[in-house]
C-alpha cells in the first residue's frame, strides 16, 4: 500500500492472453469470500477495472486474479511480471456468493469465467454439495484451470466449440443432456460471456431450476457511488457492485446489460488501436517496470 | 473578482475565477469596518476569525493571515473557492445590507493562494503525542477537517479512503474549473506534514470493519465521515439507456479519472462533442455537471429543473456562470421518460411543463404538471443530479451502529457520538447531503468531542 502500490508475487500465462497474478494485498486476502472482486488501476493515467478474485491466501497475504487481455488495460496488465507493481487494488467488493448445502449443483463456466467459477465451486463442494462442473472453451489451448476444477468437483465435463479437446459442442448442450438424463439439479451457476449466461438461463427456466449468474457490467468506483453498473433485475434497477455481482439468472435483463456494456466500444477500440500501434507507449512508470517481451506459451 | 471570459472558459477546464491581485485585495480588505462585535464569525460554520485575518491582510502580512485562518479552517484555499459565503460570513457582514458585503471569500482565497505560491505554509503547532490512535473513515471535507484538529491535539490520526485519491467530493465531485485538484493535493500534503497518515484503497466495511479497527488495528476512536455518496435516479422509463448518467458517475469520470483528457488518460466518457446534453436538477452538482459537458464540446447544454429559478438550490454565482457560458435553462420542466433507439442509446427526453402550486414541506412552492403540455426534446446525454443518499457500507457491517430513516447514522447533535462506544459520525452521513463547509464544521465538532473522549475516557 506504499507509494509503489501492490507487488506481484507471481505471474504466469495459463493460456494465450490469459494470465494469472498472485498479488500481495493482505487486507483483501484476509477478507475475500467466493464471488467477490477487486478494482484495480495500473498507473497514474489508468482506468479502474473490476476483476474477480479467483483465490486468496490469508497466511501469505496474497490474492489471485486471472486476466484476459482484451482491451488496453488488460493487455497492459498482462505485460507485468513478478516483482512489478499494480498501483491500486481495492476490495474485496460485492456480496459474497450464497454458499450453503443445495444438493446437486452444476457449475458452468465459459472461457476466463472459469476463474470466477472455480472459487465458488470450491466453496460449494466444501459445503457438502455434489458439484458437477461443465468447463467450456472455444478451443483446447483457451481452456484454463482444468486441474483445479477437477480437484473441487465430483464430475467434470469439458466442452470445446471445435472439439479439439473434450466433447465438441456448447456448454448448454451438456446441460440439456444432464437435465434430459433425469439428473436432479438443485442449482445452476453460470459464469461467462453474456450470450452463454442468457442461453443457460433459458434452458433452466422451463424446468424451474434455480440459476445464478455473475455479471460483469461497466464500473468505476465499485462501492455503489456511480451507478454505472446498474442492471435491471426483476424489473428493478440494481447496482452490480453492491447488490451483486451475482443475481438470479431468470430475473436479469441480459439484453439491457449487453447494450450498456457496449457504451464505450468506440473509445475502447480507439485506445486499443493506439496501444497496439505503439507498443512502447504509455506512461513512464509502466514502461520502466514492464518487461515488454511476451512470455506467453504458444 | 476577475474571471476568464465566458467564450474562452467554456472551451477549457482551467479555473473560471482568477483571484484577486494585491491591489484589489487591499482595496477589499479596507472595506472591513472592524466591528467590535463581528457578525461574520458567527456566520462561519467553522468560526474563522475573519476580522483578525482581514486586519493582517491590511498590514500586508498575508502569511500571517493565512495562518490565522488555518487555526480554524484546515482547507482555506478550498473553502475560499467553494463556500456559499453569501449565506454565511458575507451574509452576516454588517456591510451586506446597504453596500454589499466585504468579499471575505475572495480574501480567504487570496491569502491561501499567496501562502501556497510562497511555499511557506504556516502549519499550526502540534501538541505532544497522547498515544491515542484515531481512525477516520472517509477523506472528504468532514474527515479532513477532523483529522487536522485531532493531529494538532497530539493524537495519531489515520484517514482511510475507498478511492485511490484523497479528498472525497473535493476530487471526484467538484470540477477542476471551480477547484483545481492541485490545490486539494497541496492541502493534503500540508496535512501529511502535520503528521496525518492517509491510507487509500481501503473500503471500511469491506476491506476492514469498524470492529477490526478497534480490535487488531488498535484504534481508540473511530470517526465515520463517509458522506452521502449514493446517486438517486428519477425512476422513469429509459433511465438505463446508454448516455444516461448519474451526476456522480459523470463527474467522477471527468474529475477523478480525467476522462476529459481521453485518450491521454484511459477512462472514457461519452463523446459530448456536437451533442445535446441535459442535466436534470438545480443544485451545484447539476451546474458542475452541465458546465463540464459544455467543456467537453456539447452543442446544446440544458438544465431541466422542475421548479423556477427562485427555488434553485445552486449558488447564484454558479447559475450566473452557467448562463454566461451558454447553458440553457428549461425551468418548470420535468422529464417523464427517456427515449432510445434499437441499440439502446438515448435519443430524446420526454418532458412535461410544470407550474408552481402552494408551498410544500420544504417551504418551496410545489411544482405541479400542466396537463397536456408534454413534448419531446432531442437528447444524446442526460445527467441525473437530483440528490444523493447515504453510503451504507460501514453501517451494513457494523450492526450496533444505529441508523435513522434513509440509512443515515444517528449521532448526538452536540457530541456527534453514535450508538456505538468510541464511534462518532460527522458530515453528510449524519445530516444528509449538505455543503463542504457544513461538513467541515461537523468534523471540527466531532474532533473536539473525540479529543475529550480520548483524554477522559468518558463516553
Amino acid at each position: 500500500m506504499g507509494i509503489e502500490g501492490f507487488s506481484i508475487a507471481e505471474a504466469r500465462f495459463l493460456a494465450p492472453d490469459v494470465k494469472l497474478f498472485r498479488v500481495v494485498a493482505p487486507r483483501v486476502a484476509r477478507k475475500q469470500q467466493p464471488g467477490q472482486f477487486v478494482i484495480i488501476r495500473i498507473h497514474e493515467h489508468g482506468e479502474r477495472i473490476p476483476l474477480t478474485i479467483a483465490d486468496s491466501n490469508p497466511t501469505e497475504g496474497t490474492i489471485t486474479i486471472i486476466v484476459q487481455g482484451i482491451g488496453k488495460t488488460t493487455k497492459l496488465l498482462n505485460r507485468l511480471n513478478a516483482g512489478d507493481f499494480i498501483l491500486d487494488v481495492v476490495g474485496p467488493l460485492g456480496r459474497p456468493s450464497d454458499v450453503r448445502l443445495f444438493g446437486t449443483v452444476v457449475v458452468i463456466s465459459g472461457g476466463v469465467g472459469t476463474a470466477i467459477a472455480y472459487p465458488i465451486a470450491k466453496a460449494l463442494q466444501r459445503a457438502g454439495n455434489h458439484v458437477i462442473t461443465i468447463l467450456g472453451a472455444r478451443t483446447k489451448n483457451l481452456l484454463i484451470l482444468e486441474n483445479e476444477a477437477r480437484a473441487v468437483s465430483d464430475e467434470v465435463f469439458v466442452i470445446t466449440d471445435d472439439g479439439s479437446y473434450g466433447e465438441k459442442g456448447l456448454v448448454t448442450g451438456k446441460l440439456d443432456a444432464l437435465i434430459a438424463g433425469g439428473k436432479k439439479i438443485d442449482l445452476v451457476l453460470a459464469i461467462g460471456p453474456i450470450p452463454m449466461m442468457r442461453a443457460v438461463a433459458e434452458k433452466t427456466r422451463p424446468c424451474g431450476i434455480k440459476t445464478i449468474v455473475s455479471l460483469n457490467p461497466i464500473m468505476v468506483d465499485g462501492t455503489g457511488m456511480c451507478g454505472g453498473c446498474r442492471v435491471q433485475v426483476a424489473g428493478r434497477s440494481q447496482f452490480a457492485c453492491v447488490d451483486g455481482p451475482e443475481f438470479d439468472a431468470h430475473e436479469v435483463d441480459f439484453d439491457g446489460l449487453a447494450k450498456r456494456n457496449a457504451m464505450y466500444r468506440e473509445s475502447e477500440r480507439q485506445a486499443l488501436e493506439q496501444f497496439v500501434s505503439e507498443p512502447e507507449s504509455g506512461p513512464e512508470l509502466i514502461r520502466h517496470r514492464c518487461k515488454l517481451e511476451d512470455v506467453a506459451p504458444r | 473578482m476577475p474571471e476568464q471570459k465566458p467564450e474562452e472558459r467554456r472551451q477549457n477546464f482551467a479555473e473560471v475565477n482568477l483571484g484577486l491581485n494585491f491591489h484589489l485585495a487591499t482595496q477589499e480588505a479596507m472595506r472591513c469596518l472592524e466591528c467590535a462585535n463581528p457578525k461574520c464569525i458567527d456566520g462561519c460554520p467553522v468560526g474563522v476569525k475573519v476580522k483578525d485575518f482581514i486586519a493582517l491582510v491590511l498590514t500586508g502580512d498575508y502569511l500571517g493571515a493565512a495562518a490565522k485562518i488555518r487555526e480554524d479552517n484546515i482547507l482555506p484555499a478550498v473553502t475560499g473557492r467553494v463556500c456559499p459565503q453569501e449565506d454565511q460570513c458575507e451574509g452576516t457582514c454588517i456591510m451586506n445590507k446597504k453596500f454589499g458585503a466585504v468579499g471575505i471569500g475572495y480574501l480567504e482565497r487570496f491569502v491561501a493562494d499567496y501562502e501556497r505560491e510562497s511555499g511557506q505554509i504556516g502549519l499550526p503547532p502540534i501538541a505532544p503525542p497522547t498515544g491515542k490512535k484515531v481512525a477516520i473513515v472517509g477523506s472528504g471535507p468532514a474527515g479532513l477537517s477532523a483529522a487536522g484538529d485531532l493531529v494538532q491535539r497530539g493524537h495519531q490520526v489515520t484517514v482511510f479512503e475507498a478511492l485511490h485519491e484523497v479528498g472525497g467530493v473535493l476530487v471526484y465531485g467538484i470540477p477542476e474549473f471551480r477547484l483545481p485538484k492541485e490545490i486539494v493535493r497541496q492541502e493534503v500534503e500540508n496535512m501529511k506534514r502535520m503528521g496525518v497518515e492517509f491510507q487509500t484503497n481501503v473500503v471500511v466495511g469491506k476491506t476492514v470493519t469498524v470492529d477490526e479497527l478497534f480490535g487488531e488495528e488498535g484504534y481508540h476512536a473511530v470517526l465515520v465521515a463517509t458522506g452521502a455518496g449514493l446517486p438517486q435516479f428519477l425512476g422513469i422509463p429509459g433511465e438505463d439507456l446508454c448516455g444516461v448518467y448519474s451526476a456522480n458517475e459523470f463527474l467522477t469520470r471527468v474529475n477523478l479519472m480525467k476522462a476529459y483528457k481521453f485518450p491521454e488518460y484511459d477512462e472514457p466518457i461519452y463523446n459530448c462533442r456536437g451533442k445535446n446534453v441535459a442535466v436534470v436538477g438545480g443544485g451545484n452538482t447539476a451546474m458542475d455537471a452541465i458546465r463540464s459537458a459544455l467543456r467537453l464540446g456539447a452543442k446544446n447544454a440544458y438544465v431541466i429543473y422542475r421548479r423556477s429559478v427562485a427555488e434553485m438550490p445552486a449558488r447564484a454565482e454558479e447559475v450566473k456562470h452557467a448562463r454566461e457560458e451558454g447553458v440553457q435553462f428549461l425551468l418548470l420542466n420535468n422529464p417523464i421518460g427517456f427515449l432510445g433507439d434499437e441499440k439502446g442509446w438515448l435519443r430524446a427526453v420526454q418532458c412535461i411543463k410544470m407550474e408552481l402550486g402552494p408551498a410544500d414541506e420544504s417551504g418551496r412552492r410545489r411544482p405541479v404538471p400542466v396537463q397536456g403540455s408534454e413534448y419531446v426534446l432531442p437528447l444524446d446525454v442526460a445527467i441525473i443530479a437530483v440528490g444523493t443518499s447515504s453510503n451504507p457500507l460501514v453501517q451494513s457491517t457494523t450492526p450496533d451502529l444505529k441508523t435513522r430513516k434513509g440509512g443515515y447514522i444517528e449521532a448526538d447533535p452536540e457530541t456527534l457520538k453514535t450508538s456505538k462506544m468510541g464511534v462518532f459520525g460527522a458530515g453528510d452521513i449524519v445530516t444528509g447531503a449538505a455543503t463542504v463547509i457544513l461538513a467541515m464544521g461537523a468534523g471540527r465538532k466531532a474532533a473536539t468531542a473525540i479529543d475529550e473522549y480520548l483524554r477522559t475516557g468518558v463516553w
Side-chain angles (χ1 to χ4, degrees), chain B residues 159-227:
Chain B
V159 179
F160 295 98
E161 169 55 47
L163 291 170
H164 57 261
E165 203 164 316
V166 171
V169 72
L170 305 177
V171 295
Y172 77 74
I174 304 177
E176 184 77 15
F177 56 82
R178 215 149 67 76
L179 177 64
K181 300 306 146 223
E182 191 44 44
I183 287 172
V184 182
R185 263 191 286 278
Q186 183 61 57
E187 300 275 23
V188 170
E189 270 319 301
N190 295 340
M191 296 187 64
K192 285 185 189 164
R193 283 175 50 207
M194 287 164 65
V196 177
E197 186 203 354
F198 291 94
Q199 290 193 20
T200 53
N201 297 316
V202 179
V203 185
V204 174
K206 287 280 184 189
T207 315
V208 60
T209 63
V210 169
D211 286 320
E212 286 164 347
L213 289 175
F214 282 116
E216 44 269 57
E217 307 246 357
Y219 289 93
H220 301 100
V222 173
L223 174 64
V224 182
T226 45

Side-chain angles (χ1 to χ4, degrees), chain B residues 408-430:
Chain B
Y408 297 99
I409 293 176
E410 256 187 37
D412 181 283
E414 282 316 305
T415 63
L416 296 175
K417 285 178 181 169
T418 68
S419 59
K420 186 176 169 70
M421 187 165 159
V423 180
F424 298 76
D428 286 5
I429 192 59
V430 173

Side-chain angles (χ1 to χ4, degrees), chain B residues 334-352:
Chain B
N334 202 25
I336 50 177
F338 294 108
L339 310 172
D341 62 19
E342 70 288 350
K343 287 188 165 167
W345 289 84
L346 177 67
R347 286 294 167 249
V349 58
Q350 191 178 25
C351 290
I352 189 164

Side-chain angles (χ1 to χ4, degrees), chain B residues 344-403:
Chain B
W345 289 84
L346 177 67
R347 286 294 167 249
V349 58
Q350 191 178 25
C351 290
I352 189 164
K353 305 244 184 210
M354 310 291 277
E355 58 191 3
L356 292 178
D360 61 15
E361 64 277 11
S362 75
R364 298 181 295 178
R365 292 180 63 190
R366 183 191 298 278
V368 287
V370 178
Q371 290 307 318
S373 67
E374 294 89 345
Y375 68 98
V376 170
L377 178 74
L379 201 63
D380 303 289
V381 179
I383 306 163
I384 314 299
V386 294
T388 52
S389 51
S390 64
N391 195 328
L393 291 177
V394 170
Q395 299 90 305
S396 65
T397 51
T398 319
D400 44 349
L401 193 61
K402 248 198 211 152
T403 55

